[in-house]
Amino acid sequence: MTESPPQGLDDDPIYHLLGYDGLQWVMQNGWYVQFQARIADITDGRPYGLKYSLTLHDENRRRLLGYDNAHGYRKLRAVAHDHKHSFRRTTEVEAYEFRDAFTLIDDFLVSVKSVCEQEGVDPQLLTRRHVELDTVYEDEDDE
Protein backbone atom coordinates (compact mmCIF):
# COMPACT_ATOMS: atom_id res chain seq x y z
CA MET A 1 0.00 0.00 0.00
CA THR A 2 1.05 3.61 -0.38
CA GLU A 3 3.31 5.21 2.19
CA SER A 4 2.06 8.19 4.17
CA PRO A 5 2.30 11.53 2.37
CA PRO A 6 4.84 14.12 3.45
CA GLN A 7 3.56 16.42 6.18
CA GLY A 8 1.31 19.10 4.73
CA LEU A 9 0.31 17.02 1.70
CA ASP A 10 -2.06 14.65 3.47
CA ASP A 11 -5.10 16.45 2.03
CA ASP A 12 -3.67 16.55 -1.50
CA PRO A 13 -6.14 14.75 -3.81
CA ILE A 14 -3.35 12.72 -5.42
CA TYR A 15 -2.60 11.05 -2.08
CA HIS A 16 -6.26 10.08 -1.75
CA LEU A 17 -6.07 8.38 -5.16
CA LEU A 18 -2.83 6.66 -4.18
CA GLY A 19 -4.69 5.18 -1.22
CA TYR A 20 -6.99 3.36 -3.67
CA ASP A 21 -4.08 1.61 -5.40
CA GLY A 22 -4.80 -2.10 -5.76
CA LEU A 23 -8.45 -1.85 -4.73
CA GLN A 24 -11.32 -3.46 -6.56
CA TRP A 25 -15.01 -3.04 -5.86
CA VAL A 26 -17.27 -5.79 -7.15
CA MET A 27 -20.86 -5.36 -8.32
CA GLN A 28 -23.63 -7.92 -7.87
CA ASN A 29 -23.32 -9.19 -11.47
CA GLY A 30 -19.55 -9.79 -11.12
CA TRP A 31 -18.39 -6.64 -12.89
CA TYR A 32 -15.80 -4.69 -10.93
CA VAL A 33 -13.97 -1.39 -10.88
CA GLN A 34 -10.23 -1.40 -10.31
CA PHE A 35 -7.90 1.39 -9.23
CA GLN A 36 -4.17 1.56 -9.85
CA ALA A 37 -2.10 4.62 -8.97
CA ARG A 38 1.55 5.25 -8.26
CA ILE A 39 3.93 8.17 -8.02
CA ALA A 40 5.87 8.55 -11.27
CA ASP A 41 8.63 10.76 -12.57
CA ILE A 42 7.40 14.16 -13.67
CA THR A 43 7.48 14.23 -17.47
CA ASP A 44 5.71 16.08 -20.27
CA GLY A 45 3.26 13.17 -20.39
CA ARG A 46 2.71 13.10 -16.62
CA PRO A 47 3.33 16.67 -15.40
CA TYR A 48 1.75 15.97 -11.98
CA GLY A 49 3.98 12.93 -11.28
CA LEU A 50 1.24 10.31 -11.17
CA LYS A 51 0.69 7.13 -13.17
CA TYR A 52 -2.87 5.80 -12.95
CA SER A 53 -5.38 3.38 -14.43
CA LEU A 54 -9.06 3.30 -13.40
CA THR A 55 -10.93 0.51 -15.16
CA LEU A 56 -14.25 -1.31 -15.31
CA HIS A 57 -14.09 -5.06 -16.01
CA ASP A 58 -16.71 -7.70 -16.65
CA GLU A 59 -17.05 -10.95 -14.72
CA ASN A 60 -14.55 -12.58 -17.14
CA ARG A 61 -11.91 -9.92 -16.37
CA ARG A 62 -12.26 -8.20 -19.76
CA ARG A 63 -11.74 -4.46 -19.58
CA LEU A 64 -14.93 -2.64 -20.54
CA LEU A 65 -13.98 0.98 -19.89
CA GLY A 66 -10.90 2.81 -18.66
CA TYR A 67 -9.25 6.10 -17.78
CA ASP A 68 -5.45 6.08 -17.67
CA ASN A 69 -2.16 7.73 -18.48
CA ALA A 70 -0.07 4.56 -18.62
CA HIS A 71 1.02 5.26 -22.19
CA GLY A 72 0.94 8.00 -24.76
CA TYR A 73 -1.03 7.97 -27.98
CA ARG A 74 0.41 9.60 -31.05
CA LYS A 75 -2.95 9.77 -32.79
CA LEU A 76 -4.29 12.07 -30.06
CA ARG A 77 -1.47 14.52 -30.87
CA ALA A 78 -1.35 15.52 -27.22
CA VAL A 79 1.65 15.79 -24.96
CA ALA A 80 -0.18 14.60 -21.87
CA HIS A 81 -0.87 10.87 -21.71
CA ASP A 82 -4.28 11.22 -20.04
CA HIS A 83 -7.02 9.51 -22.03
CA LYS A 84 -10.07 7.30 -21.73
CA HIS A 85 -10.96 4.05 -23.45
CA SER A 86 -14.51 3.76 -24.81
CA PHE A 87 -17.04 1.32 -23.37
CA ARG A 88 -16.66 -2.12 -25.00
CA ARG A 89 -14.32 -0.50 -27.57
CA THR A 90 -11.26 -0.14 -25.39
CA THR A 91 -8.90 0.19 -28.34
CA GLU A 92 -10.67 3.48 -29.12
CA VAL A 93 -9.22 6.33 -27.10
CA GLU A 94 -10.21 9.90 -26.46
CA ALA A 95 -8.12 12.58 -24.77
CA TYR A 96 -8.99 13.23 -21.13
CA GLU A 97 -8.24 16.53 -19.42
CA PHE A 98 -6.79 15.72 -16.01
CA ARG A 99 -7.73 18.48 -13.54
CA ASP A 100 -7.11 16.75 -10.22
CA ALA A 101 -7.45 13.30 -8.67
CA PHE A 102 -10.89 13.93 -7.15
CA THR A 103 -12.30 14.99 -10.53
CA LEU A 104 -10.67 11.96 -12.19
CA ILE A 105 -12.33 9.59 -9.72
CA ASP A 106 -15.66 11.35 -10.08
CA ASP A 107 -15.54 11.40 -13.91
CA PHE A 108 -14.65 7.71 -13.97
CA LEU A 109 -17.44 6.70 -11.57
CA VAL A 110 -19.98 8.82 -13.50
CA SER A 111 -18.93 6.93 -16.66
CA VAL A 112 -19.24 3.59 -14.83
CA LYS A 113 -22.72 4.49 -13.59
CA SER A 114 -23.76 5.59 -17.07
CA VAL A 115 -22.67 2.38 -18.80
CA CYS A 116 -24.17 0.26 -16.03
CA GLU A 117 -27.51 2.01 -16.47
CA GLN A 118 -27.21 1.60 -20.25
CA GLU A 119 -26.61 -2.14 -19.80
CA GLY A 120 -29.21 -2.68 -17.07
CA VAL A 121 -26.55 -3.42 -14.44
CA ASP A 122 -26.95 -2.28 -10.83
CA PRO A 123 -23.93 0.04 -10.36
CA GLN A 124 -23.84 -0.37 -6.59
CA LEU A 125 -20.35 -1.42 -5.48
CA LEU A 126 -20.88 -4.22 -3.00
CA THR A 127 -17.62 -5.91 -2.11
CA ARG A 128 -14.20 -4.33 -1.65
CA ARG A 129 -11.01 -6.32 -2.04
CA HIS A 130 -7.32 -5.52 -2.32
CA VAL A 131 -5.27 -7.23 -5.01
CA GLU A 132 -1.65 -7.04 -6.08
CA LEU A 133 -1.58 -5.33 -9.46
CA ASP A 134 1.35 -4.36 -11.60
CA THR A 135 0.04 -3.91 -15.14
CA VAL A 136 0.01 -0.11 -15.07
CA TYR A 137 3.53 -0.02 -13.67
CA GLU A 138 5.29 -2.03 -16.32
CA ASP A 139 7.66 -0.03 -18.49
CA GLU A 140 5.72 0.83 -21.62
CA ASP A 141 6.47 2.88 -24.68
CA ASP A 142 5.43 6.36 -23.61
CA GLU A 143 5.52 7.79 -27.08
Side-chain angles (χ1 to χ4, degrees):
M1 196 56 94
T2 306
E3 63 186 55
S4 297
Q7 189 172 10
L9 292 179
D10 53 344
D11 57 351
D12 184 320
I14 287 178
Y15 283 99
H16 289 277
L17 179 58
L18 292 171
Y20 288 176
D21 182 54
L23 292 181
Q24 295 177 343
W25 281 273
V26 183
M27 297 175 209
Q28 191 169 17
N29 73 335
W31 287 14
Y32 61 93
V33 296
Q34 177 172 286
F35 290 82
Q36 298 179 66
R38 293 262 172 102
I39 295 293
D41 290 336
I42 293 175
T43 65
D44 288 343
R46 294 184 198 93
Y48 35 84
L50 176 70
K51 192 171 189 179
Y52 66 86
S53 175
L54 284 60
T55 51
L56 171 66
H57 299 261
D58 69 13
E59 66 280 5
N60 297 312
R61 301 177 56 191
R62 283 187 298 261
R63 185 173 64 175
L64 299 174
L65 172 80
Y67 284 55
D68 73 81
N69 71 348
H71 49 86
Y73 268 96
R74 285 188 184 112
K75 66 182 180 178
L76 292 178
R77 302 194 193 288
V79 174
H81 292 335
D82 305 288
H83 59 274
K84 47 188 179 175
H85 296 261
S86 303
F87 178 61
R88 293 199 191 270
R89 296 182 314 271
T90 57
T91 58
E92 296 178 23
V93 297
E94 175 183 339
Y96 174 75
E97 183 183 342
F98 182 91
R99 289 180 213 85
D100 61 64
F102 288 148
T103 304
L104 169 66
I105 293 167
D106 187 55
D107 289 347
F108 170 68
L109 292 176
V110 165
S111 292
V112 167
K113 182 178 180 187
S114 176
V115 300
C116 285
E117 290 172 352
Q118 171 187 324
E119 297 293 307
V121 172
D122 182 355
Q124 183 176 359
L125 305 176
L126 300 173
T127 306
R128 178 180 141 171
R129 62 187 178 202
H130 185 268
V131 294
E132 291 299 320
L133 303 167
D134 61 341
T135 56
V136 78
Y137 316 122
E138 295 172 358
D139 289 331
E140 298 178 14
D141 180 9
D142 288 341
E143 296 301 321

